């Protein structure tokens, strides 16, 4: 059941928006696995049931079907960042080619190759395990909404082409023929390096694949500590049980890691997202978007947006909020001031969609 929004009430197009992630609010979520309530042992204990933990467990079983693998999740698989993001599965390992070139100029070709291999293997996993997550290799369209952004976009396109990517540079008229907004001045369509998908259904599908492979999954089993047991291995403690494991893999995302020395490497930042009601055919036609690309504008504070399988528009980003001290609380998942700003930006970008209502408004911590 949805909880009331904190702070000021949302009004206008946001009135009635559910304060839960759209992806996790769909039918078809699996029932939870039971919690760990006893002591057990395993060859590998995986902490965290998001993409990192689920893929770690699945790969371990693929490499050794006889491996004894336990996965421990504090709530349910995919409930956090893995199930509430925008659903862009990008090949880049460096948060964009330009960022990678600036920081790793001598290694960018290898990093790019590894990223593309990773994307290919993700797509292959989805196919192999018959995961119905609305995956579409539509690519990503980066748009310029200010003149100063165009030179950087064109430079990035040249660099991507040099690495062998399928890239199309678009003029103002051409980009508006793809997706029509009066704010667009040009764009670059990276056609081969981004897979659009439903992240919650991907997490649920990976969870099913893990269970079918023999991974023992315990949900609602938050881990409270890990301690060395000498030659016996490592003991992972939960509130009601424990796992004695030869090895432990930590996949806790932005949340405080179980090893104190890792905490300085994490900066918890909150991101916020809106989703519209489904667009009727005539309203969607006013925008175009026939090729269903993921989009992002090119400012330092940027929006990312895309179509869902039922033709809603997911609209997120811009604000990236760090709270002093980095404390993570569920109350910060709702930020009405940011939601109101995002809605205003949405209608500036798509004035032809005036009157569209938002059905979901949520936020959450990323690292």
């Amino acid at each position: 059941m949805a909880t009331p929004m904190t702070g000021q009430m949302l009004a206008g197009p946001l009135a009635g928006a559910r304060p839960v992630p759209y992806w996790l609010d769909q039918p078809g979520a699996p029932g939870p696995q039971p919690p760990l309530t006893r002591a057990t042992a395993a060859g590998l204990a995986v902490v965290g049931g998001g993409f990192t933990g689920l893929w770690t467990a699945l790969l371990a079983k693929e490499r050794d079907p006889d491996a004894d693998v336990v996965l421990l999740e504090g709530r349910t698989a995919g409930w956090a960042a893995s199930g509430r993001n925008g659903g862009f599965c990008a090949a880049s390992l460096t948060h964009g080619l330009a960022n990678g070139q600036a920081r790793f100029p001598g290694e960018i070709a290898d990093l790019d190759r590894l990223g593309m291999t990773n994307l290919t293997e993700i797509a292959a996993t989805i196919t192999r395990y018959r995961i119905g997550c609305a995956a579409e290799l539509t690519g990503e369209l980066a748009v310029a909404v200010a003149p100063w952004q165009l030179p950087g976009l064109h430079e990035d396109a040249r660099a991507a082409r040099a690495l062998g990517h399928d890239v199309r540079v678009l003029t103002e008229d051409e980009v508006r023929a793809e997706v029509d907004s009066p704010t667009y001045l040009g764009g670059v369509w990276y056609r081969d390096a981004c897979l659009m998908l439903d992240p919650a259904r991907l997490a649920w599908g990976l969870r099913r694949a893990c269970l079918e492979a023999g991974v023992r999954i315990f949900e609602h089993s938050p881990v409270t500590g890990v301690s060395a047991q000498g030659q016996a291995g490592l003991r992972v403690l939960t509130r009601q049980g424990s796992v004695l494991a030869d090895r432990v893999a930590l996949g806790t995302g932005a949340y405080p890691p179980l090893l104190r020395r890792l905490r300085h490497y994490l900066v918890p930042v909150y991101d916020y997202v809106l989703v519209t009601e489904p667009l009727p055919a005539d309203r969607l036609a006013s925008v175009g978007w026939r090729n269903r690309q993921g989009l992002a504008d090119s400012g330092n504070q940027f929006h990312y947006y895309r179509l869902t399988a039922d033709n809603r528009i997911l609209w997120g980003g811009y604000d990236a909020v760090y709270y002093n001290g980095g404390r993570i609380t569920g109350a910060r998942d709702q930020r009405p001031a940011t939601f109101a700003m995002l809605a205003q930006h949405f209608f500036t970008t798509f004035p032809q969609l005036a009157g569209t209502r938002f059905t979901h408004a949520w936020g959450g911590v990323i690292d």
Side-chain angles (χ1 to χ4, degrees):
M1 180 178 294
T3 56
M5 290 197 176
T6 58
Q8 68 193 72
M9 296 299 292
L10 299 181
L14 288 158
R18 289 174 57 78
V20 293
Y22 162 73
W23 308 114
L24 296 172
D25 200 30
Q26 304 176 88
Q33 290 291 107
L36 180 65
T37 58
R38 58 184 175 83
T40 187
L44 173 65
V46 179
V47 181
F51 291 141
T52 299
L54 290 166
W55 239 296
T56 298
L58 185 59
L59 285 168
K61 292 294 286 186
E62 287 181 344
R63 292 171 182 175
D64 180 3
D66 295 326
D68 188 6
V69 180
V70 164
L71 185 147
L72 302 168
E73 165 55 43
R75 297 195 190 180
T76 56
W79 77 273
S82 294
R84 65 185 180 209
N85 59 70
F88 288 65
C89 184
S92 177
L93 302 180
T94 58
H95 210 299
L97 183 57
N99 189 54
Q101 283 186 313
R103 286 158 177 78
F104 313 105
E107 301 171 286
I108 190 60
D110 287 337
L111 289 167
D112 183 76
R113 175 181 53 79
L114 289 169
M116 288 299 293
T117 299
N118 190 50
L119 185 69
T120 299
E121 293 183 0
I122 288 171
T125 299
I126 291 169
T127 299
R128 183 164 65 254
Y129 290 101
R130 305 178 308 282
I131 298 174
C133 60
E136 301 177 279
L137 187 60
T138 58
E140 184 173 5
L141 180 56
V143 296
V145 294
W148 65 265
Q149 296 169 5
L150 286 167
L153 278 181
H154 294 162
E155 182 179 345
D156 290 350
R158 287 191 292 271
R161 279 208 186 102
L163 291 169
H165 288 287
D166 181 2
V167 181
R168 182 180 170 195
V169 176
L170 304 175
T171 65
E172 180 177 347
D173 289 341
E174 288 171 334
V175 74
R176 291 190 63 175
E178 289 293 331
V179 181
D180 191 11
S181 169
T183 66
Y184 296 168
L185 303 177
V188 175
W189 184 2
Y190 299 92
R191 294 156 63 100
D192 62 346
C194 189
L195 187 70
M196 310 307 296
L197 50 79
D198 179 327
R201 294 195 185 281
L202 175 58
W204 299 339
L206 291 170
R207 176 186 181 276
R208 171 182 55 78
C210 283
L211 289 170
E212 290 175 352
V215 175
R216 291 184 286 153
I217 296 179
F218 298 95
E219 294 178 305
H220 294 292
S221 301
V223 172
T224 58
V226 177
S227 60
Q229 302 292 299
Q231 296 297 320
L234 297 162
R235 187 173 298 280
V236 183
L237 299 175
T238 70
R239 290 174 181 169
Q240 297 177 281
S242 66
V243 181
L244 183 62
D246 298 330
R247 297 182 180 183
V248 176
L250 303 180
T252 51
Y255 291 84
L258 295 164
L259 299 181
R260 186 177 297 275
R261 65 178 178 268
L262 298 179
R263 296 189 179 189
H264 298 296
Y265 293 90
L266 294 174
V267 179
V269 174
Y270 281 78
D271 185 39
Y272 296 93
V273 187
L274 304 176
V275 165
T276 71
E277 61 193 345
L279 297 182
D282 59 334
R283 303 220 84 185
L284 182 58
S286 72
V287 179
W289 221 336
R290 291 175 297 278
N291 290 308
R292 301 182 61 83
Q293 308 96 325
L295 272 91
D297 54 52
S298 304
N300 293 322
Q301 288 181 278
F302 64 93
H303 307 89
Y304 56 86
Y305 43 115
R306 55 158 296 180
L307 292 171
T308 66
D310 58 352
N311 289 332
R312 302 167 186 260
I313 296 177
L314 179 147
W315 176 267
Y318 198 80
D319 268 354
V321 182
Y322 173 76
Y323 291 92
N324 189 32
R327 184 165 172 263
I328 298 172
T329 70
R332 290 172 176 168
D333 291 354
Q334 292 295 311
R335 199 165 192 265
T338 293
F339 296 145
M341 180 188 63
L342 283 172
Q344 179 184 359
H345 293 176
F346 176 87
F347 291 115
T348 298
T349 302
F350 297 124
Q352 65 271 48
L353 297 181
T356 299
R357 301 188 67 81
F358 297 97
T359 61
H360 294 76
W362 75 90
V365 66
I366 59 176
D367 62 313

